[in-house]
Amino acid sequence: MQKPKTLRLILGDQLNENHFWFQVILLLWLSAVLLGGCAMLPVPTRSDRIGEIGPLGKCAEFFASLDDRTKEAEVIDPGAFRVKKYPYLRVDRFLASFGEEIVDSATFSAWIDRMQALDQGARKYEIANLSSSTAIALESGSDRAGLYSKVADCGDMLKAADLQSVKHQEEFKKNIAVPDEYIPLRRVLGIYPLTSMFVYRGVFIWHTEARKSFSPVPPVNWRSIRYTPYWKIDISSARQTIKPTKRDALGIPVYSDEARKVLFRMYAPVWEIQFEGDDDRIGTPMWTAKGALDVDTEQPLTYTLLSFTRFGKEILTQLNYIIWFPSRPKEGALDIYAGFLDGVNYRVTLDSNYEPLLYETVHNCGCYYKAFPTNRLLVREKIDYAEPPLILKAPDFNPAKEFMTISMESRTHYVQHLYSSSRELQPATTIYSLIDYSQLRSLPYSTDDRKSIFSQNSIIAGSERSERFILWLTGVLSPGAMRQWGRHAVSFVGKRHFDDPFFMDRMFVETDSR
């Protein structure tokens, strides 16, 4: 008669043990979901010269103090990554790709100068976003201009001292790395090897639907709103402005302000959106008087960002054109993809003669990536990505006579048509202007203060989607949320980034077709 009791005791112990492990797993899962984002926060770094006597020690302490105040104020700019022990340098994926190719003092100097420029650019916006009292306290009554100047002067001084010897340069090269946009803990707890198969299936279905809906000709029977650049441009004259552009020791073009302006004007697109409501209008992100982020659709702007990539032995120029919508409205109560803010990035990669080689579109969440190669690119038979990119054929395009038109579906803003249209001004067209994307990193917030639209983890607060509760197991921080350029993961299976410097070599082979 004791057997049932003994069995109950044994089963009871087993149930208690299972309950214990269930609690452990649940706790780990919650840690991954709720705290995993902390891994994406940029961490300021300190110079080894802190504590030294003299100018170098003072400069090291200045950077440490500036970083402390920036961190406390939660205004760290997350677009580029810190370099450990070198607080005056930041690096992105493109610059990190040169690590094994730095062979002499000229290339090393050009490499470091670009990293320093990244840091100075980021600090410009961080300092602008500090309160006036904090900025003044940092430099004994000096204004922000004084802080900018000290960032440059101290950076130059530390750079000359830290990286003078060949030994230090070699050590430095070994330590340059950029983290990816995937959180390993989430993939572990999400049983990624298993669950990724279901995610892959979802991606495959979307690719199939997107191929069926895409067309390189204008849409039919759409009620559309069109946004067009306001200027006319003479392509032959524009090329003469760009032609004198020099390259630095790394082979990266160094554009004048005028050449950059001309380039963006040459290839600025027409935006066409199937229109059903105000959420299909593009506009200007802004902080309201109540401190809330909004999009002013009375001011349609296209944000421009210059980037570079690598293809074979070439360094190629990329023109990014970025727009914002007020939201992706809900289609129903269970629409997990809808939410505040939406946007699209259209990118043109130019060859060494400044002719288009590749067109791409991606939403500002890193979602819905599409590549449109010209006939001078051949798609590789086998692309070495766990999640194959969606590749569609680009239309023929003559920039001297035509605009490339990006045509998007209402509400979802999916790119469904990519086609060329006449440069002659069309009826019922709204004119847009170009503006530097970096302005989004510091916008007027109140009478005296400024604020970036991007949080320190690169996400725009409030733009989170419900899909994040399902797709957290892919390792991507807040899937579906809008984020800062340079922080876009563009696949859920495997790893792939929008700013991967080697993506073209992995996807395409250049042909001789002209």
Side-chain angles (χ1 to χ4, degrees):
M1 296 295 295
Q2 295 296 319
K3 190 172 181 181
K5 183 177 180 181
T6 304
L7 184 60
R8 284 198 301 271
L9 288 172
I10 294 172
L11 288 175
D13 291 341
Q14 185 65 47
L15 289 172
N16 287 335
E17 185 177 348
N18 288 343
H19 180 65
F20 169 76
W21 284 113
F22 172 77
Q23 289 180 316
V24 170
I25 292 172
L26 179 62
L27 180 62
L28 289 172
W29 179 83
L30 288 173
S31 298
V33 175
L34 299 177
L35 302 178
C38 296
M40 312 305 287
L41 292 174
V43 180
T45 183
R46 292 176 181 267
S47 169
D48 286 342
R49 296 185 181 276
I50 287 181
E52 283 189 16
I53 304 299
L56 292 176
K58 290 181 179 179
C59 278
E61 289 167 2
F62 163 73
F63 276 114
S65 178
L66 177 57
D67 281 332
D68 286 343
R69 300 297 173 269
T70 301
K71 185 177 180 180
E72 288 170 7
E74 298 184 350
V75 297
I76 294 175
D77 186 278
F81 299 88
R82 302 299 184 101
V83 179
K84 188 176 181 181
K85 299 195 294 185
Y86 302 92
Y88 49 90
L89 302 178
R90 300 191 199 195
V91 66
D92 56 19
R93 292 185 179 87
F94 173 68
L95 288 181
S97 73
F98 288 91
E100 297 181 358
E101 302 172 25
I102 305 301
V103 295
D104 53 36
S105 59
T107 53
F108 186 85
S109 178
W111 194 43
I112 295 300
D113 287 348
R114 284 191 173 269
M115 289 189 206
Q116 187 180 12
L118 274 184
D119 180 73
Q120 291 179 1
R123 289 188 184 277
K124 170 186 173 183
Y125 299 106
E126 291 171 347
I127 291 170
N129 294 338
L130 289 172
S131 67
S132 298
S133 58
T134 300
I136 291 172
L138 269 167
E139 193 54 19
S140 303
S142 177
D143 58 10
R144 285 186 172 84
L147 285 175
Y148 300 146
S149 179
K150 190 159 186 177
V151 164
D153 293 342
C154 275
D156 288 343
M157 189 181 302
L158 288 169
K159 178 177 67 174
D162 290 344
L163 299 168
Q164 193 173 42
S165 73
V166 173
K167 178 182 177 182
H168 287 151
Q169 292 177 9
E170 291 301 317
E171 290 177 356
F172 178 86
K173 287 191 289 183
K174 293 176 183 177
N175 293 324
I176 290 298
V178 172
D180 61 47
E181 298 298 323
Y182 298 84
I183 304 171
L185 179 59
R186 291 190 175 190
R187 288 191 164 186
V188 170
L189 297 182
I191 320 174
Y192 175 77
L194 175 63
T195 55
S196 64
M197 291 189 291
F198 297 97
V199 175
Y200 184 93
R201 175 63 180 168
V203 171
F204 176 80
I205 292 171
W206 176 72
H207 279 196
T208 302
E209 294 173 348
R211 289 182 188 281
K212 290 179 180 178
S213 62
F214 174 74
S215 172
V217 298
V220 178
N221 297 326
W222 271 21
R223 179 188 173 212
S224 301
I225 183 170
R226 290 168 60 89
Y227 295 90
T228 307
Y230 69 87
W231 58 84
K232 292 186 177 181
I233 191 165
D234 183 287
I235 296 297
S236 60
S237 297
R239 292 189 184 285
Q240 293 304 312
T241 302
I242 303 165
K243 195 174 181 180
T245 297
K246 306 289 185 182
R247 293 178 179 259
D248 66 13
L250 296 172
I252 305 171
V254 182
Y255 293 106
S256 66
D257 290 342
E258 182 63 21
R260 182 183 299 216
K261 178 180 176 181
V262 166
L263 267 179
F264 277 110
R265 287 190 169 191
M266 284 174 67
Y267 297 108
V270 168
W271 305 104
E272 179 180 43
I273 304 101
Q274 183 185 27
F275 185 73
E276 293 184 2
D278 286 343
D279 288 306
D280 295 321
R281 298 183 185 274
I282 69 172
T284 305
M286 56 172 287
W287 294 106
T288 68
K290 295 182 179 180
L293 189 61
D294 199 2
V295 174
D296 181 4
T297 56
E298 295 298 317
Q299 298 186 58
L301 293 178
T302 295
Y303 292 81
T304 60
L305 185 147
L306 186 73
S307 59
F308 300 98
T309 194
R310 314 186 68 167
F311 189 37
K313 295 181 179 179
E314 294 283 346
I315 305 296
L316 302 182
T317 297
Q318 296 176 310
L319 308 176
N320 294 266
Y321 301 89
I322 299 159
I323 54 172
W324 296 95
F325 298 97
S327 77
R328 172 173 170 165
K330 276 184 174 291
E331 192 170 31
L334 299 179
D335 187 347
I336 64 174
Y337 305 109
F340 170 64
L341 279 187
D342 197 12
V344 172
N345 184 337
Y346 164 64
R347 184 165 72 184
V348 184
T349 299
L350 305 176
D351 65 15
S352 55
N353 293 317
Y354 307 107
E355 296 282 352
L357 193 60
L358 173 68
Y359 310 100
E360 300 161 277
T361 60
V362 70
H363 284 226
N364 294 340
C365 52
C367 322
Y368 313 119
Y369 173 85
K370 297 176 182 178
F372 308 88
T374 65
N375 60 6
R376 293 191 290 126
L377 291 177
L378 181 67
V379 180
R380 289 186 180 275
E381 290 186 10
K382 183 177 180 181
I383 297 177
D384 186 24
Y385 284 121
E387 180 185 310
L390 178 57
I391 302 176
L392 305 163
K393 183 174 174 53
D396 293 331
F397 171 55
N398 181 354
K401 297 180 180 180
E402 297 170 322
F403 287 116
M404 185 66 84
T405 300
I406 295 89
S407 188
M408 290 161 275
E409 179 185 53
S410 173
R411 192 185 66 80
T412 66
H413 308 131
Y414 292 157
V415 175
Q416 290 196 339
H417 302 263
L418 193 74
Y419 65 94
S420 56
S421 58
S422 172
R423 278 191 176 268
E424 296 300 318
L425 191 62
Q426 302 294 320
T429 292
T430 300
I431 305 300
Y432 74 75
S433 300
L434 299 179
I435 190 170
D436 187 351
Y437 178 86
S438 287
Q439 294 209 17
L440 296 172
R441 297 155 74 183
S442 180
L443 293 175
Y445 183 66
S446 64
T447 304
D448 299 317
D449 294 329
R450 302 182 68 84
K451 186 176 180 180
S452 173
I453 71 170
F454 306 105
S455 301
Q456 291 189 118
N457 62 0
S458 82
I459 302 296
I460 298 180
S463 71
E464 297 86 355
R465 299 327 198 223
S466 297
E467 63 182 293
R468 71 188 188 277
F469 296 116
I470 299 172
L471 294 175
W472 65 268
L473 48 80
T474 65
V476 176
L477 177 66
S478 194
M482 305 296 111
R483 61 200 72 216
Q484 187 166 342
W485 203 99
R487 302 296 303 274
H488 290 101
V490 291
S491 71
F492 288 133
V493 182
K495 296 180 180 181
R496 183 156 50 92
H497 301 86
F498 191 55
D499 60 334
D500 174 6
F502 298 112
F503 82 100
M504 287 188 67
D505 279 319
R506 298 179 74 174
M507 290 166 56
F508 305 107
V509 175
E510 188 168 13
T511 70
D512 294 328
S513 177
R514 288 280 178 176

